[in-house]
Amino acid sequence: MQEQIALLANTMKQADYILIGAGAGLSAAAGLSFADEKLFRKRYPYWAERGRHSEYHMFSFRDWTIEQQWAYMADHISRVRFETPPLPLYQTLKTILEEKLTDKEYMIITSNVDCQFTRNGFPPQKVFEYQGNYDNLCCTNQCTQEIWPFQPVMEQMIAVANPITASIPSSLLPHCSNCGAPLRLAFRDYPSYNAEKIAYQQWLKQSEQGMLCIMEIGVGFNSPGVIRVPFERITQERSNVKFFRITVDYPDSEEEIAYPEIPKPIADKSCSINADAGFVIHELLKLL
Ligand SMILES: [Zn+2]
């Protein structure tokens, strides 16, 4: 394990470009977990009594009214985005990238919607939140590129949510001030997605000019087509690249799947570090 982390540290030192792909495993290692069943039972007894057992489990849930969905999302987002402070593990990662490796160009792509990168002071232009985040609302009718901050709406929803029905009143359902259509949270297919994706792809193109170190941190199989598979493809296609997969295995869990294995065709350019992201990042700080 130490040997692999030392290899990663040396590769980071040698690289011209560092590409980081961060999934839920990074925030979990930092202390923000969606799998906490005790917290779920306490905070969402209505849903716990109906067979749901974690916030993670709710991501795929569809069998609710729109009023229940907003009541849940308001409280969930309040916890994840507003009650949780900026987490120190992200600060440590920032120290590594911004203070220890000052001569490297780096870029981050993340599926996390918790804003931990930007809340910890990472420059927004270096963070591609490809699923968007929990901060804004946008029009379901796509009549405008305008977005609206969710926080004031969220606070109103939480203030009047009915715990017996786990619902908000229908009168609080948010609507577009432009066309009157319902609003939705601006994640997945949000208005600035295309522009941000183009900037990310331009960075990838530019990184072909030097040695690239790829670090995949805590990425499972929720949406493998965005980080996991493209990272493997980049590794396969390029010669001047090293790929590191940092993830813990969950052999007993049916929900959390995060195989640390590396596909054979890229094995010679890759290294799997089957360890908690927090441990690896703290070890890196010592070595850099
Ligand atoms: Zn609209």
Side-chain angles (χ1 to χ4, degrees), residues 4 7-8 214-219 221 227-229 231-236 241-249 258-275:
Q4 292 152 333
L7 177 66
L8 171 56
I214 305 179
M215 281 172 78
E216 183 195 88
I217 311 174
V219 175
F221 280 91
I227 298 179
R228 202 168 168 116
V229 173
F231 276 16
E232 291 176 0
R233 195 183 307 133
I234 294 167
T235 306
Q236 182 152 18
V241 62
K242 280 271 182 242
F243 172 55
F244 292 84
R245 168 161 287 155
I246 302 160
T247 188
V248 239
D249 202 3
Y259 297 117
E261 285 81 3
I262 302 275
K264 268 193 189 142
I266 57 166
D268 57 334
K269 292 185 258 182
S270 308
C271 174
S272 171
I273 305 179
N274 185 359

Side-chain angles (χ1 to χ4, degrees), residues 152-223:
V153 180
M154 175 193 87
E155 284 171 358
Q156 263 186 312
M157 288 177 173
I158 291 171
V160 298
N162 180 341
I164 308 294
T165 58
S167 297
I168 58 158
S170 306
S171 58
L172 269 192
L173 294 173
H175 289 93
C176 175
S177 55
N178 201 34
C179 77
L183 295 180
R184 66 173 175 84
L185 286 159
F187 65 82
R188 293 184 188 156
D189 197 20
Y190 52 97
S192 60
Y193 174 82
N194 285 336
E196 290 183 33
K197 189 177 176 189
I198 288 168
Y200 172 70
Q201 285 169 336
Q202 281 170 345
W203 187 94
L204 281 182
K205 185 80 193 145
Q206 195 196 330
S207 73
E208 289 174 4
Q209 292 166 14
M211 183 194 165
L212 176 65
C213 172
I214 305 179
M215 281 172 78
E216 183 195 88
I217 311 174
V219 175
F221 280 91
N222 266 344
S223 39

Side-chain angles (χ1 to χ4, degrees), residues 139-144 148 176-183:
C139 175
T140 51
N141 200 24
Q142 297 179 327
C143 77
T144 169
W148 293 267
C176 175
S177 55
N178 201 34
C179 77
L183 295 180

